[in-house]
Amino acid sequence: MTVKLGLVGTGTVGSGCIDIIQKHHDDFKRHYGIEIELAQVCSRNPEQAIAHGVEDIFTQDYHDIIQNPDIDIVIELIGGTTAAKTLVMEALAAGKHVVTANKALMATCGQEIMDLADEQECEIAFEASVGGGIPIIDPMKHSLISNQVNTVLGIVNGTTNYMLTRMAEDNMSYDDALKEAQAQGFAEADPTADVDGFDAAAKIAILASIAFNSRVTLDQVSTEGIRGIMPTDLLAAKEMGYCVKLLAIANRTAKGIDVRVHPTMLPLTHPLATVNGVFNAIYVVGDAVGETMFFGEGAGAGPAASAVMGDVLEVARHVQAGVKPLVGCTCTDHLPLVPMESLSTRYYIRFVVEDRSGVLAATADVFAQHGVSVYSVIQRGTQSGESVDLVYVTHMAQEKNIRAVIADVCKLDGVLAGNHEPTVIRVER
Ligand SMILES: NC(=O)c1ccc[n+]([C@@H]2O[C@H](COP(=O)([O-])OP(=O)(O)OC[C@H]3O[C@@H](n4cnc5c(N)ncnc54)[C@H](OP(=O)(O)O)[C@@H]3O)[C@@H](O)[C@H]2O)c1
């Protein structure tokens, strides 16, 4: 039996998938007995279809694919949550299996999509939505299934990891690192989703849902990006034996699940500390397996298409064998989310203050008033001849107390708020 594919979206990932199908089609059949045929391709314009010699199966209307009774698997590669959601829901309603790379869609509408897939006895596979080419969803749903997963930590955004690496290694400013990432094609013209942490938040929402068998959506992830980070923070971290990463964090705690994205100081001895440049890695701790780490390229035509095609071939194998979906939604528990205010960790906080006596003592008083114990305080560098950085590192403290400290310190005479928002980096042990 030949399994027929309908692919929608011929941009970076879609083109990568067509390349893989054209290059390895015969290998799939010879090695694994999986026979697939790219039966229809849809996009808004035909350029890529023409470039790949598939204009004879091209359409500009995805309904042609959904209404085609021969198509078994619809591959959604258009992105976003509007047209993509309609496409995915209509494809499932028409009884087609769906493979998608869409993190935003799965992190916001995952439950609705999986319920429909379940109802229709169709598969919905989304490996490429997290970590690009890194296999992580399939290992968590299969190889690690015998574990209770307690922690997932991820460097899941290549743009910000590239920028932080350049800032740390070459003392580059945030603006220069962003410009370079854009010039290299690692950052979008509008970098908001990456630098403000939303891309990483969608990915950790998906991973947390799988890891803890409990649905987490994008809007539930407490998210902070890297805009406030300066080379001086990265230098200070290095002097303390740490590096700074935009970390996507999901922890199982006694009170529920703690899911967040923010710049994080990691000890240089942590396995994730060696992950630099555009690379991604996901560190998973299970009660039986212990520590594991999955590493690779988190974006790009080849890596993302590799993950999409892995899903396509697995679903095609099931279609050929006539088996019903084996793994559907695994969110059977409803664990509470731990509010960010009750987080307890160590903090690095950098204030910009006037370089004059009395300011340090006044700031230290505020920490004491809120019961936040200070591990160290250092005055670093000069901002403009008149201002300096005041860098506090705390002992374990509660987020709500730290927020109160910051609000009160910012009201002090001599503390430059406004254009100089304090930089907060949580310190992971
Ligand atoms: N790029 C990566 O490295 C990567 C990695 C992992 C996951 N992903 C995910 O993969 C998906 C695709 O990303 P991408 O980078 O390949 O995006 P892309 O390069 O922007 O490609 C999107 C394609 O979809 C087409 N399209 C958009 N709306 C359409 C519609 N209503 N009907 C038909 N075609 C439509 C676009 O046509 P036009 O050219 O006319 O706009 C374009 O060909 C996204 O969900 C993304 O998050 C991407």
Side-chain angles (χ1 to χ4, degrees):
M1 174 195 179
T2 300
V3 177
K4 298 204 173 174
L5 316 177
L7 182 145
V8 190
T10 55
T12 306
V13 187
S15 298
C17 289
I18 300 174
D19 283 339
I20 291 180
I21 294 169
Q22 292 179 332
K23 192 169 163 195
H24 292 302
H25 173 273
D26 294 348
D27 300 334
F28 302 147
K29 189 176 172 196
R30 194 171 65 254
H31 297 152
Y32 311 111
I34 305 172
E35 188 150 11
I36 55 169
E37 178 193 326
L38 186 57
Q40 245 175 331
V41 171
C42 168
S43 211
R44 277 196 292 227
N45 68 70
E47 269 168 37
Q48 284 300 328
I50 294 167
H52 284 83
V54 293
E55 62 270 29
D56 51 327
I57 54 166
F58 180 76
T59 173
Q60 273 171 320
D61 183 355
Y62 68 72
H63 293 101
D64 292 342
I65 290 181
I66 290 170
Q67 286 157 11
N68 181 342
D70 293 338
I71 301 276
D72 300 290
I73 304 175
V74 173
I75 309 169
E76 181 279 304
L77 298 170
I78 66 178
T81 54
T82 47
K85 184 181 176 192
T86 312
L87 163 63
V88 166
M89 296 299 275
E90 286 183 11
L92 290 169
K96 309 209 180 289
H97 304 287
V98 173
V99 173
T100 176
N102 195 328
K103 73 216 95 171
L105 182 63
M106 293 311 293
T108 48
C109 314
Q111 188 69 62
E112 201 182 335
I113 290 169
M114 297 196 86
D115 285 348
L116 182 59
D118 201 27
E119 207 179 294
Q120 292 290 98
E121 296 191 341
C122 290
E123 295 204 35
I124 168 82
F126 48 98
E127 180 63 68
S129 65
V130 180
I134 307 171
I136 181 65
I137 292 174
D138 194 58
M140 285 175 74
K141 285 198 167 189
H142 290 99
S143 327
L144 297 176
I145 195 171
S146 68
N147 286 262
Q148 173 178 288
V149 173
N150 294 317
T151 296
V152 180
L153 302 179
I155 295 172
V156 286
N157 182 268
T159 306
T160 46
N161 204 43
Y162 178 84
M163 289 173 63
L164 290 171
T165 303
R166 293 292 278 138
M167 288 164 70
E169 290 180 356
D170 301 290
N171 202 33
M172 212 179 237
S173 70
Y174 170 91
D175 287 337
D176 287 346
L178 176 57
K179 274 186 207 134
E180 189 181 274
Q182 285 167 327
Q184 300 267 352
F186 301 146
E188 303 282 337
D190 175 3
T192 310
D194 294 323
V195 299
D196 289 335
F198 303 124
D199 172 82
K203 291 167 180 170
I204 199 67
I206 294 170
L207 291 182
S209 301
I210 298 168
F212 307 135
N213 301 100
S214 196
R215 177 68 54 193
V216 178
T217 52
L218 174 58
D219 59 341
Q220 293 175 317
V221 182
S222 167
T223 306
E224 286 172 26
I226 65 162
R227 284 186 203 262
I229 305 292
M230 289 177 62
T232 182
D233 301 314
L234 304 176
L235 185 62
K238 195 171 172 186
E239 287 166 9
M240 291 163 57
Y242 288 80
C243 64
V244 177
K245 299 289 181 191
L246 181 68
L247 216 60
I249 299 172
N251 286 313
R252 186 191 294 272
T253 75
K255 290 182 188 152
I257 48 183
D258 153 35
V259 190
R260 50 200 155 94
V261 170
H262 50 66
T264 309
M265 279 196 185
L266 271 181
L268 290 169
T269 49
H270 193 285
L272 286 170
T274 59
V275 178
N276 288 319
V278 290
F279 281 94
N280 282 201
I282 298 138
Y283 169 86
V284 180
V285 185
D287 62 347
V289 73
E291 295 175 86
T292 60
M293 193 161 96
F294 301 80
F295 170 86
E297 288 190 49
S306 159
V308 170
M309 288 310 300
D311 279 346
V312 167
L313 291 164
E314 190 57 25
V315 176
R317 200 200 296 263
H318 298 164
V319 173
Q320 271 184 341
V323 292
K324 287 188 176 171
L326 299 175
V327 185
C329 182
T330 51
C331 293
T332 48
D333 297 345
H334 303 282
L335 300 176
L337 282 159
V338 178
M340 188 67 184
E341 294 72 36
S342 57
L343 173 72
S344 214
T345 188
R346 292 174 63 207
Y347 291 80
Y348 164 103
I349 311 165
R350 175 172 54 81
F351 299 100
V352 181
V353 301
E354 286 173 16
D355 189 12
R356 60 178 168 80
S357 64
V359 177
L360 193 154
T363 59
D365 272 353
V366 176
F367 279 79
Q369 281 157 24
H370 290 283
V372 173
S373 170
V374 173
Y375 170 75
S376 68
V377 54
I378 304 169
Q379 187 170 304
R380 294 179 68 89
T382 306
Q383 291 279 316
S384 63
E386 293 171 348
S387 60
V388 289
D389 287 335
L390 205 52
V391 175
Y392 277 90
V393 178
T394 72
H395 286 292
M396 289 297 279
Q398 265 211 333
E399 179 84 15
K400 67 170 188 280
N401 294 335
I402 292 294
R403 289 185 187 181
V405 166
I406 291 170
D408 286 354
V409 167
C410 286
K411 287 180 205 150
L412 291 175
D413 192 29
V415 174
L416 306 175
N419 288 340
H420 299 279
E421 284 280 305
T423 296
V424 181
I425 307 178
R426 293 162 189 87
V427 184
E428 187 80 13
R429 275 171 300 168

